[in-house]
């Protein structure tokens, strides 16, 4: 049997095909090349999609900036128009300050911050008024002593509560505003001639006006929902990991490369970095998802996302996806470190490459099915059983990846490479199976329709 090697190279992909004699092998090879070309085209769309996301992000930043400008113009009318200024006076600056510090990118973040500011202002103002009245009733030197003691106690206690994780996560801003308002009202009550409760009432009203402007503009003028971004981000991770596995399959199908050792090392390193860069971005997504979930909890009912939507389940799925990405990174590093040993095994047919390809295809297909289920917000039901069945079949096929009759003749280093590879692949299958259960549970908690 004669072997002829044909090498085709492009700027981003190198496809090596080994053509054996015989019409059947040529036909099979052509079909294989067609499949590989389809996959390459799919993978090449990933950077294009990323560029679209960047353009979309820039557009959203522009929209947010314009909305902030509109809000500032609206609250500035309290100063610019004489009839409104006669009603609120110099306290109009508190409305402007509220817009500046409260207006956020997402409506949920604005609502959360505004409610925190409102509660902190009300509680701090009420306690400040009571403190000022009590101190004025006593009079004399005791007036300043009582205010100083109460400021110390309230500031210390409130700051301690700010350090509690559960309070800091959602109410840190409100506690800070409470400290600020209490100190301003309590101290100003000593010097001003007007009744302190009148000052607190006027400031509260202007703060409420500024908050109403922020909420109305942010919700009703091109809203940028944190829930939509979290939903899209989670779906994108599923497809990115599926593409990573598909790219790893393409790398395994390359049987030979006619390059020098130096070029081979450089090319292999860059290939691994490119294929698994998506996994690195997944590992860095935890803080972003937690922040988006926190904002989404404050958002009103919109679209398919209602009140008490199970955002915590999104965080749980995201955690499992990050664990899966970590295993995929380890698989890539394992293949890179033991590339020479794996190549020798493939040449000796100790590894059944077809079985590995079938397992990888099942995992990639399962991830895309799960991503489609969340994207379309539909229950898995029968699909869940189908995915679980295929994953069980993949686990059974895992034992066929290695020909045990030929492994016994291998060196310890090669056997260790095989064992590490099979163990990591088994962990990947377990994580995908766990994702099936989590997505199925999400469908029931969120009351997704069946179709």
């Amino acid at each position: 049997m004669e072997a002829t090697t044909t090498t085709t190279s492009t700027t981003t992909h190198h496809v090596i095909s080994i053509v054996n004699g015989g019409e059947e092998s040529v036909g099979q090879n052509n079909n294989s090349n067609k499949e590989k070309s389809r996959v390459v085209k799919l993978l090449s769309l990933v950077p294009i999609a990323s560029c679209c996301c960047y353009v979309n992000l820039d557009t959203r930043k522009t929209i947010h900036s314009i909305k902030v400008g509109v809000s500032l113009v609206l609250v500035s009318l309290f100063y610019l128009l004489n009839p409104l200024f006669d009603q609120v006076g110099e306290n109009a600056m508190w409305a402007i300050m509220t817009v500046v510090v409260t207006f956020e990118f997402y409506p949920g973040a604005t609502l959360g911050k505004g409610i925190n500011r409102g509660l902190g202002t009300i509680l701090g103002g009420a306690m400040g008024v009571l403190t000022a009245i009590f101190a004025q009733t006593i009079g004399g030197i005791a007036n300043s002593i009582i205010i100083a003691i109460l400021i110390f106690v309230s500031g210390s206690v409130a700051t301690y509560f700010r350090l509690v994780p559960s309070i800091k996560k959602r109410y840190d801003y409100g506690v800070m505003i409470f400290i600020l308002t209490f100190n301003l009202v309590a101290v100003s009550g000593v010097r001003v001639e007007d009744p302190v409760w009148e000052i607190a009432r006027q400031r509260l009203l202007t703060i409420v006006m500024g908050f109403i402007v922020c909420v109305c503009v942010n919700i009703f003028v091109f809203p940028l929902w944190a829930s939509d971004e979290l939903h899209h981000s989670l779906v994108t991770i599923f497809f990115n990991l599926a593409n990573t596995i598909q790219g790893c399959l393409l790398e395994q199908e390359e049987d030979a490369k006619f390059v020098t050792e130096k070029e081979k090392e450089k090319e292999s390193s860059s290939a691994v970095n490119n294929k698994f860069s998506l996994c690195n971005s997944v590992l860095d997504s935890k803080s972003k998802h937690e922040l988006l979930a926190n904002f989404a909890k404050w958002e009103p009912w919109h679209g398919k996302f209602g009140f008490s939507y199970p955002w915590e389940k999104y965080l749980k799925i995201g955690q499992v996806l990050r664990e899966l990405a970590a295993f995929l990174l380890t698989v890539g590093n394992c293949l890179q470190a033991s590339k020479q040993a794996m190549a020798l095994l493939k040449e000796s047919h100790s590894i059944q490459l077809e079985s590995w390809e079938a397992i990888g295809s099942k995992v990639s297909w399962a991830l895309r099915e799960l991503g489609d289920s969340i994207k379309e917000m539909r229950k898995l039901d029968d699909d869940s059983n189908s995915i679980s069945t295929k994953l069980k079949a993949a686990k059974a096929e895992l034992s066929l990846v290695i020909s045990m009759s030929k492994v016994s003749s291998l060196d310890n280093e090669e056997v260790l490479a095989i064992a590490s590879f099979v163990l990591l692949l088994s962990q990947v299958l377990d994580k995908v199976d766990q994702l099936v259960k989590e997505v199925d549970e999400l469908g029931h908690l969120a009351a997704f329709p069946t179709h």
Side-chain angles (χ1 to χ4, degrees), residues 6-16 36-37 40-41 44 250 254 257 259 267 270 274-275:
T6 303
T7 306
T8 304
S9 62
T10 64
T11 57
T12 56
H13 299 282
H14 299 271
V15 180
I16 312 298
K36 285 192 280 187
S37 64
V40 169
K41 289 178 181 178
S44 63
L250 285 177
E254 296 178 357
K257 287 183 184 290
V259 291
E267 182 181 348
S270 62
N274 291 334
K275 287 184 177 69

Side-chain angles (χ1 to χ4, degrees), residues 48-68:
I48 297 176
S50 301
C51 293
C52 293
C53 291
Y54 285 125
V55 172
N56 188 30
L57 181 60
D58 289 338
T59 304
R60 293 162 63 198
K61 288 180 179 178
T62 303
I63 293 174
H64 172 70
S65 303
I66 294 174
K67 287 162 65 176
V68 173

Side-chain angles (χ1 to χ4, degrees), residues 11-12 46 244 267-280:
T11 57
T12 56
V46 174
T244 299
E267 182 181 348
S268 300
S269 177
S270 62
V272 170
N273 291 334
N274 291 334
K275 287 184 177 69
F276 292 95
S277 60
L278 296 175
C279 292
N280 290 322

Side-chain angles (χ1 to χ4, degrees), residues 132-255:
I133 294 175
F134 179 67
Q136 289 175 357
T137 303
I138 296 177
I141 191 65
N143 184 353
S144 301
I145 295 175
I146 290 174
I147 291 179
I149 292 174
L150 291 177
I151 287 176
F152 169 77
V153 172
S154 65
S156 301
V157 173
T159 302
Y160 177 82
F161 278 108
R162 287 186 68 188
L163 301 178
V164 178
S166 58
I167 295 178
K168 186 177 182 63
K169 184 177 181 180
R170 299 193 67 180
Y171 306 107
D172 179 69
Y173 183 71
V175 178
M176 182 185 69
I177 293 298
F178 166 81
I179 298 173
L180 176 64
T181 305
F182 176 81
N183 281 269
L184 289 177
V185 175
V187 172
S188 62
V190 178
R191 299 293 181 183
V192 297
E193 297 179 357
D194 297 332
V196 67
W197 58 84
E198 183 64 24
I199 297 175
R201 184 186 68 83
Q202 291 176 357
R203 290 182 181 178
L204 178 61
L205 287 177
T206 53
I207 289 173
V208 170
M209 292 176 186
F211 173 64
I212 291 174
V213 170
C214 287
V215 171
C216 291
V217 172
N218 213 344
I219 290 180
F220 298 111
V221 180
F222 298 104
L224 307 171
W225 302 110
S227 52
D228 288 341
E229 183 166 344
L230 177 57
H231 184 81
H232 174 73
S233 176
L234 200 68
V235 171
T236 302
I237 290 176
F238 275 99
F239 289 102
N240 284 345
L241 294 182
N243 288 335
T244 299
I245 295 173
Q246 200 71 47
C248 190
L249 281 176
L250 285 177
E251 183 182 6
Q252 288 300 306
E253 290 184 63
E254 296 178 357
D255 293 328

Side-chain angles (χ1 to χ4, degrees), residues 324-338:
L324 175 60
F327 279 117
L328 290 178
L329 274 175
T330 310
V331 169
N333 292 331
C334 178
L335 291 174
Q336 180 65 19
S338 58

